[in-house]
Amino acid sequence: MIKASYEILQPSNSQSFLVRKFDKLAFDAPYHFHEEYELTCIIKGSGKRYVGSHMEDFASGDVVLLGPNLPHCWKLEAGEIPAGQASAIVIQFNDAFLGSDFFNRSELLQIKNLFQKSGCGVSFHSDTQAEVKRLLLNLVEEKNNFKILIGLLEVLQCMASSDEYILLDQHRIVAERSSAERERINPVFAYLVENFRKQVSLDTAAGIANMTTNAFCKYFKKVTRKTFMETIIEYRLNYAIQQLVQTDKPISEISYESGFGDVSHFYKMFKAKMNLSPLNYRKRFMRNITSAPKKLSA
């Protein structure tokens, strides 16, 4: 049975935090969580990013800071990225890696505020995204531990002083729950992440949470502010939207690949969310692409 894995991280004796560069292996990790903060920068690859109850497309350059105990994973689109053409830089640390009071100093107030925001997951964009990627590419090649430490603080300050970000799981549905509640709800989201494109069973989800179906439905709505079925449909529609704009697959094929067993039901749900049919959504997207002003080459 799929569960949200709890990960225990062990920095080496020479470092108080982890700096690693992963290949495709980074994207094979299951929906998991740990007590450390995590900064992830996607160097190559695209697909879906899952943070708490939030799902969104990601692409090369994606920069996200996650707070402690916030479940997450990045999933590549099947067949889209050849072997060896997916990679990410990941930094993991706890808030006391420089001492329990270090980030309470007035000079570091912005970074402390950044840590508070990270409980939702923070995704950076525009110039900040590009600058963090540049800093991390330099950092991962650095051999001197002192310079690595200074480099991490520079990265944190770059993000902390930026307003070019969005909060992902804004209701902090998962991260701010008690440990007992996280043990109950995290495996349910892990089940959804791994299975929403297939047949999803309410009975199975309730069983994962060790609850009756009626109790589970009430509990899930209380925690997420959405019904179980609304959450499944949202996952499926988000996946379908990505397929509509990134592939030329027929609508019926996208419908089935996204988990909708009935094409007419897919059309109905899609139009209710987007106020357009899937076909018209794709056409509008393509018109916007072709009508966008072309950049002049130097």
Side-chain angles (χ1 to χ4, degrees):
M1 181 168 295
I2 300 294
K3 292 189 175 182
S5 305
Y6 175 71
E7 185 178 19
I8 299 176
L9 306 175
Q10 295 290 341
S12 67
N13 292 332
S14 61
Q15 288 184 310
S16 53
F17 55 93
L18 292 171
V19 181
R20 293 179 286 183
K21 187 173 182 180
F22 291 96
D23 55 16
K24 189 175 179 293
L25 184 64
F27 305 94
D28 293 334
Y31 187 75
H32 67 286
F33 64 101
H34 40 73
E35 295 179 355
E36 291 76 12
Y37 293 87
E38 177 174 305
L39 173 61
T40 297
C41 176
I42 305 301
I43 306 304
K44 296 178 183 178
S46 62
K48 287 289 185 185
R49 175 187 356 99
Y50 301 86
V51 172
S53 63
H54 184 271
M55 178 177 70
E56 188 175 54
D57 296 344
F58 76 85
S60 298
D62 192 55
V63 171
V64 172
L65 177 67
L66 304 173
N69 296 311
L70 185 56
H72 56 277
C73 66
W74 277 253
K75 296 289 186 183
L76 292 172
E77 285 306 307
E80 188 168 331
I81 304 297
Q85 293 300 307
S87 62
I89 295 173
V90 179
I91 299 181
Q92 294 161 321
F93 58 93
N94 63 49
D95 57 3
F97 77 97
L98 289 174
S100 58
D101 293 326
F102 183 80
F103 289 103
N104 289 327
R105 290 168 171 79
S106 58
E107 296 90 342
L108 301 171
L109 180 61
Q110 285 183 311
I111 294 178
K112 185 174 182 180
N113 290 337
L114 173 67
F115 288 165
Q116 292 173 347
K117 295 173 188 172
S118 71
C120 299
V122 189
S123 175
F124 294 90
H125 57 83
S126 304
D127 292 342
T128 303
Q129 183 188 79
E131 178 63 8
V132 170
K133 180 180 179 181
R134 183 189 70 80
L135 291 171
L136 290 177
L137 286 171
N138 290 335
L139 186 64
V140 78
E141 297 300 328
E142 182 57 62
K143 304 301 181 185
N144 183 288
N145 285 338
F146 176 77
K147 290 182 179 180
I148 292 173
L149 172 59
I150 298 302
L152 174 57
L153 291 176
E154 186 177 3
V155 169
L156 292 174
Q157 181 59 26
C158 174
M159 296 187 296
S161 59
S162 171
D163 59 2
E164 297 174 333
Y165 68 86
I166 59 170
L167 301 181
L168 301 178
D169 191 8
Q170 295 193 30
H171 298 298
R172 299 179 184 240
I173 287 171
V174 177
E176 291 193 343
R177 297 282 151 186
S178 67
S179 59
E181 286 184 311
R182 286 198 301 269
E183 287 178 7
R184 172 167 283 173
I185 199 66
N186 283 352
V188 174
F189 277 112
Y191 171 67
L192 288 178
V193 166
E194 299 294 340
N195 293 282
F196 72 88
R197 294 172 57 196
K198 310 170 190 174
Q199 185 69 34
V200 177
S201 166
L202 174 60
D203 288 340
T204 300
I208 291 172
N210 198 26
M211 303 175 79
T212 66
T213 54
N214 286 340
F216 171 75
C217 287
K218 293 177 182 178
Y219 174 75
F220 192 88
K221 179 71 177 289
K222 177 184 176 182
V223 171
T224 67
R225 302 177 179 87
K226 299 174 186 174
T227 68
F228 183 66
M229 185 52 65
E230 285 171 344
T231 302
I232 295 170
I233 290 173
E234 185 174 280
Y235 272 40
R236 288 173 174 171
L237 288 175
N238 283 344
Y239 183 85
I241 289 170
Q242 181 192 48
Q243 295 297 296
L244 284 168
V245 302
Q246 294 185 1
T247 76
D248 57 0
K249 295 177 182 177
I251 303 298
S252 59
E253 184 178 344
I254 291 173
S255 170
Y256 290 118
E257 286 189 358
S258 302
F260 291 95
D262 180 76
V263 178
S264 62
H265 180 60
F266 169 57
Y267 267 82
K268 181 180 178 181
M269 293 296 99
F270 192 96
K271 196 166 184 179
K273 176 180 174 67
M274 306 304 298
N275 294 318
L276 284 171
S277 71
L279 183 58
N280 286 332
Y281 182 89
R282 172 180 272 171
K283 288 179 178 178
R284 175 177 288 187
F285 178 84
M286 295 308 297
R287 283 199 304 269
N288 290 341
I289 291 295
T290 55
S291 63
K294 302 289 191 300
K295 290 184 178 181
L296 297 176
S297 57

